[in-house]
Amino acid sequence: MKNIITQFSRIFVGLLFIISGLIKLNDPIGFSYKLAEYFGEPVFNMPFLIPFALAIALFLVILEVVLGVMLLIGYKSKFTINSLLLLIVFFTFLTFYSAYFDVVKDCGCFGDALHITPWQSFTKDVVLLFFILILFFNRKLVNPLFGNTVQNILAFASIALCAFMGYWVINHLPIIDFRPYKVGTNIQKGMRIPDNAPKSIVEMVFIYKVNGVDKEFNEKDLMALPEGATFVDRKDKVITEGYVPPIHDFAMEKDGSDYKEEFLDEPKLVMIVAYDLVHADKAGLIKLEKLNQEAKAKGYKVIGMTASSPEEIATSKKEFGMTFDFYFCDATALKTIERANPSIVVLEKGTILQKVHYNDIASLKL
C-alpha cells in the first residue's frame, strides 16, 4: 500500500511540475512580469531584483520541468525530492503571502493558460506539499527506471531542450498564445460586456481621522460619527467582482482623444507595439521605418503603440527616423498584446491576423 501511494505521488507531482513548468517556459517573459510584481514595493520591496526577473524566471521554470522529469525517471531521487520540497515550500510561502495580504491577484502558476485566485494557488501548493512529503519520507521507494547511462542522457537532454525552448520563445514568440490578444481575436468583441453579465457590487468607504487615528466608516456609520472626526479620504471597496471582459484596458490615445473605434475599423492596419521606447531593442527599432514604408506602399495604415512619454517618443522618432505616429496605451495592456519590445501586429477591422517578434519581420505577409 505504501508503495502504491508513493508511486502515485511520484507520477502526480512529476506531471504537475512538468505541465506547470512548460506552460511558463512557453512564456518566460510573462512569468518575469509576475516576479517583478513580487519584487516591487507593494510586496517584498526588493527593486534591486527586478532587472534580473527574466533570468530568475527562466531558471525557476527550467528547474520546475527538469525536476519533474528527474522525479518521474527516478534520477538522483534524494537530491530531486529535497529540491522539490524546498521549491514547494518557497512557492507555498509566496502564494500564502499573496492571498493573505491580497497583494498579487494571480501568482502566474499556469501562466495565461489558467488563471486561479491566490487562495486557489495556495491550496494547490498545500496539496503538492502533502504529496512531496510522502515522497520525502519514502525516498527509498523512488527507484531509477533505467540504467545510469540512459538516466544521465534523459536528465541532461531535458535541461538542453528546456534551455533551447526558453531561448527560442524569448527571441521569437510563445509557441502557444494563451493571451486575450491571440491571432484570430477580434478586439472589439473582446471588450464587450454581455447584457446579462454580473455587475460588481461596490461599497463606498469613508476615512476619517478620529483622535489622531485613521478609521474607516461605511455610509450607515456616517450618521454616528464621533465628535471631532475629520474627513481624510474616500475609496471604493469591491464586495463582489463583476464580469470583466478579456480585453478591458485597451486604448489608442493621442492629445486627449481615443482613436480606437476609428483604427479598429481599418481594413488594413499595422500596429507597432513598443511599450517602453527607452528600453526597446535598438536592433528592432532600426527595422521599423522600413516596415512602415513597405506597409504604406501596400495600402496599410501604420501606427505605433507605446506607454512612453511624448518626450521619449520624440527622441526615438528622431534617433531611428520613424515617421509614423505613436498612440498611448497602458504598459500592462501592451505587454499583454505582445512580449517583444518592439513587435508587430497586423489587424483587419479589429481582428488580429498576424503577430511577429521584431526578429521575424521578414516573415510578415502584407
Side-chain angles (χ1 to χ4, degrees):
M1 186 64 177
K2 183 190 290 187
N3 186 54
I4 293 174
I5 294 173
T6 302
Q7 300 312 318
F8 172 81
S9 302
R10 173 183 183 172
I11 295 170
F12 175 75
V13 172
L15 288 177
L16 197 58
F17 264 76
I18 291 171
I19 293 169
S20 173
L22 283 176
I23 289 173
K24 292 195 287 289
L25 186 56
N26 175 67
D27 183 15
I29 294 178
F31 185 50
S32 74
Y33 295 154
K34 190 59 60 177
L35 289 182
E37 197 174 339
Y38 277 107
F39 297 150
E41 186 178 345
V43 189
F44 294 122
N45 194 22
M46 297 188 291
F48 61 91
L49 287 177
I50 292 178
F52 307 103
L54 180 56
I56 296 171
L58 267 175
F59 172 77
L60 286 176
V61 296
I62 290 175
L63 181 65
E64 215 176 328
V65 176
V66 171
L67 286 177
V69 172
M70 289 168 63
L71 179 64
L72 288 181
I73 67 176
Y75 183 79
K76 297 187 182 297
S77 58
K78 183 178 179 180
F79 167 80
T80 299
I81 293 170
N82 287 344
S83 299
L84 285 168
L85 184 58
L86 288 173
L87 204 57
I88 199 60
V89 167
F90 172 67
F91 286 154
T92 304
F93 165 74
L94 282 184
T95 52
F96 172 77
Y97 190 95
S98 298
Y100 186 80
F101 293 101
D102 194 27
V103 288
V104 178
K105 302 300 182 182
D106 180 0
C107 71
C109 301
F110 295 99
D112 287 294
L114 177 63
H115 293 281
I116 55 180
T117 67
W119 283 117
Q120 288 172 335
S121 299
F122 173 67
T123 302
K124 179 262 299 177
D125 287 341
V126 169
V127 171
L128 272 173
L129 178 60
F130 170 76
F131 284 108
I132 292 173
L133 284 173
I134 291 175
L135 294 169
F136 180 78
F137 291 113
N138 297 280
R139 288 191 299 263
K140 293 181 180 178
L141 297 177
V142 182
N143 298 312
L145 294 183
F146 310 102
N148 287 338
T149 302
V150 176
Q151 293 282 92
N152 287 331
I153 291 173
L154 291 174
F156 286 106
S158 67
I159 296 172
L161 289 172
C162 285
F164 175 76
M165 181 177 173
Y167 170 82
W168 178 266
V169 296
I170 287 175
N171 287 281
H172 299 278
L173 291 180
I175 297 169
I176 302 175
D177 193 349
F178 294 108
R179 288 160 294 164
Y181 296 90
K182 59 181 176 287
V183 171
T185 297
N186 182 272
I187 294 177
Q188 297 97 315
K189 290 181 180 179
M191 292 190 290
R192 289 176 190 158
I193 300 177
D195 294 335
N196 60 348
K199 303 288 191 295
S200 295
I201 299 175
V202 180
E203 179 185 63
M204 287 190 295
V205 176
F206 299 87
I207 303 172
Y208 280 81
K209 191 176 289 292
V210 180
N211 297 325
V213 179
D214 288 350
K215 292 188 176 182
E216 295 185 354
F217 300 87
N218 59 33
E219 288 183 271
K220 294 179 181 178
D221 296 333
L222 294 179
M223 301 299 294
L225 273 176
E227 188 176 344
T230 306
F231 176 77
V232 175
D233 197 4
R234 198 219 84 181
K235 63 181 181 180
D236 292 330
K237 182 179 180 181
V238 178
I239 306 300
T240 304
E241 187 76 61
Y243 174 81
V244 178
I247 299 173
H248 55 273
D249 49 5
F250 182 79
M252 293 173 157
E253 297 176 353
K254 186 177 177 64
D255 300 326
S257 299
D258 194 339
Y259 294 85
K260 64 173 174 281
E261 288 189 14
E262 174 187 336
F263 289 148
L264 293 181
D265 198 44
E266 285 280 348
K268 300 173 78 173
L269 178 69
V270 170
M271 192 166 71
I272 295 170
V273 179
Y275 57 84
D276 184 344
L277 286 167
V278 173
H279 296 100
D281 189 278
K282 293 188 183 300
L285 293 176
I286 289 172
K287 302 175 182 179
L288 298 183
E289 181 55 27
K290 181 182 178 184
L291 169 65
N292 173 40
Q293 297 301 329
E294 291 176 353
K296 286 200 299 185
K298 295 182 179 180
Y300 282 84
K301 172 76 175 178
V302 181
I303 63 169
M305 297 283 288
T306 187
S308 297
S309 68
E311 293 76 19
E312 291 167 342
I313 292 172
T315 300
S316 293
K317 289 182 71 172
K318 182 178 180 181
E319 181 178 356
F320 297 99
M322 297 182 288
T323 59
F324 52 88
D325 290 328
F326 276 90
Y327 294 79
F328 178 84
C329 185
D330 180 74
T332 300
L334 295 179
K335 289 177 181 179
T336 305
I337 293 172
E338 204 47 270
R339 302 309 194 196
N341 184 28
S343 58
I344 296 87
V345 182
V346 180
L347 301 97
E348 179 184 332
K349 289 188 174 292
T351 298
I352 298 173
L353 300 183
Q354 296 179 71
K355 296 168 70 176
V356 299
H357 190 286
Y358 60 81
N359 284 331
D360 301 316
I361 288 178
S363 68
L364 269 176
K365 298 175 182 177
L366 298 176

